[in-house]
């Protein structure tokens, strides 16, 4: 009967992702952003590490999608690109609407055949 209960830690606006797997990061970051905003913490530091940049890309993708994120940037201190600084909208403020992406991609420009193909067509195709 040795139950383990989650330990409550104080929210300080710093989230260190070193102990988490990349697949755990999206849910964790989203929940942390919401919790910080509820508690009035609008400046957050997310430590993802330098490495290959996998966790950094996951974090930045999430931050681009979250409407409560006002801005984010790589840290400009000793941690360098191993951490991202996030600015959240205050709890009472309505986040700015991010422009909706159009569902259909823009039309592709017409593809011109390569020069060698056009030359072969001129040689071998009879014109009427």
């Amino acid at each position: 009967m040795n139950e383990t209960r989650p330990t409550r830690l104080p929210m300080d606006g710093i989230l260190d992702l070193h102990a988490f797997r990349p697949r755990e990061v999206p849910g964790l970051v989203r929940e942390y952003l919401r919790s910080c905003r509820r508690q009035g913490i609008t400046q957050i530091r997310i430590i993802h590490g330098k490495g290959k940049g996998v966790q950094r890309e996951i974090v930045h993708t999430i931050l681009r999608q979250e409407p409560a994120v006002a801005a984010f940037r790589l840290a400009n201190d000793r941690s360098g690109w191993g951490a991202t600084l996030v600015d959240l909208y205050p709890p009472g403020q309505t986040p700015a609407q991010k422009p909706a992406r159009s569902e259909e991609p823009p039309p592709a420009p017409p593809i011109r055949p390569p020069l060698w193909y056009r030359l072969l067509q001129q040689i071998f195709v009879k014109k009427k």
Side-chain angles (χ1 to χ4, degrees), residues 24-70:
E24 299 169 329
V25 170
L28 177 67
V29 170
R30 284 187 183 101
E31 185 56 36
Y32 192 78
L33 293 174
R34 289 183 191 113
S35 295
C36 283
R37 191 163 182 242
R38 273 193 303 266
Q39 293 187 17
I41 301 170
T42 58
Q43 294 186 332
I44 299 170
R45 175 187 209 80
I46 300 175
I47 302 168
H48 40 67
K50 295 179 180 178
K52 295 179 183 178
V54 173
Q55 287 202 16
R56 180 181 67 243
E57 284 306 312
I58 293 170
V59 168
H60 287 191
T61 300
I62 293 164
L63 295 175
R64 283 185 204 99
Q65 297 169 350
E66 281 296 313
V69 174

